[in-house]
Amino acid sequence: MEYSADNVTAARNLQLFVYLCSSMATFWTYYYICSLHEEVLFKWTFLLWSRWTKVKVLYITARYVPFLITTMNLYLTVAPNENTNKCQISINIITSLSLISLGCSECFFVHRTYVLWEKNRILLVVMLSTLFAVTVSSFIIEFTAAVTSHSTVSMHQEKYP
């Protein structure tokens, strides 16, 4: 069986993506194992005993949602799946979690910078405008790419059953 250059390129790109996801998961796991004593001693003690605020929710979301994203990426790349609808749902969940994580970490950054700059309203308007522009462009780019990849896969499956 002969493979076209496009098929070989797609397989090579998928293999590179698997390597990147695997190495990212390995480094994150290593980092958290090495810093687990600090995590439990300082962060969890503080998080458990402090009151619930918006900033605490932003921090927890920005800190721990990437674990879900990495796990789902590894599952999506390693587990074989012939059902394109299930694959598309997984991609949409990963995209949504990525945007939630990005939004929470950026809001956390904006809030921290706003407080450190003594609640300067001009700076707040500039940062919120930038955050809005980045969020809108991220939604457009992420979901357009996901729809394009889904339609490309569907066309190939119709063409080559």
Side-chain angles (χ1 to χ4, degrees):
M1 178 175 195
E2 263 186 58
Y3 296 106
S4 69
D6 290 339
N7 290 342
V8 172
T9 303
R12 190 174 296 152
N13 288 339
L14 182 61
Q15 188 65 38
L16 178 65
F17 184 69
V18 170
Y19 289 155
L20 288 173
C21 286
S22 301
S23 64
M24 186 171 62
T26 303
F27 285 126
W28 255 358
T29 304
Y30 176 75
Y31 167 73
Y32 277 103
I33 288 172
C34 288
S35 65
L36 188 62
H37 65 283
E38 293 174 6
E39 184 90 15
V40 171
L41 185 63
F42 298 115
K43 291 180 184 162
W44 279 105
T45 304
F46 170 72
L47 289 175
L48 289 174
W49 293 106
S50 65
R51 61 188 170 90
W52 282 91
T53 61
K54 294 175 189 173
V55 176
K56 184 176 178 178
V57 171
L58 288 175
Y59 173 77
I60 290 172
T61 306
R63 177 92 172 139
Y64 298 109
V65 165
F67 283 115
L68 296 172
I69 296 169
T70 305
T71 304
M72 289 193 69
N73 266 329
L74 283 172
Y75 170 75
L76 189 64
T77 55
V78 175
N81 190 358
E82 298 294 326
N83 186 354
T84 57
N85 290 332
K86 187 176 178 184
C87 186
Q88 186 61 38
I89 289 170
S90 298
I91 290 171
N92 286 341
I93 290 172
I94 291 170
T95 302
S96 300
L97 286 174
S98 299
L99 291 174
I100 288 169
S101 179
L102 174 71
C104 288
S105 61
E106 289 301 315
C107 287
F108 189 74
F109 168 73
V110 166
H111 185 269
R112 186 177 63 191
T113 306
Y114 176 64
V115 170
L116 286 174
W117 278 74
E118 299 175 2
K119 298 185 178 181
N120 186 342
R121 295 220 185 255
I122 295 171
L123 181 68
L124 179 65
V125 169
V126 169
M127 288 190 303
L128 288 177
S129 301
T130 305
L131 178 62
F132 179 74
V134 167
T135 303
V136 169
S137 62
S138 294
F139 269 101
I140 292 170
I141 291 169
E142 288 289 332
F143 284 108
T144 303
V147 168
T148 304
S149 67
H150 177 66
S151 63
T152 305
V153 168
S154 298
M155 287 190 319
H156 282 298
Q157 286 181 343
E158 291 170 4
K159 208 175 198 183
Y160 308 106

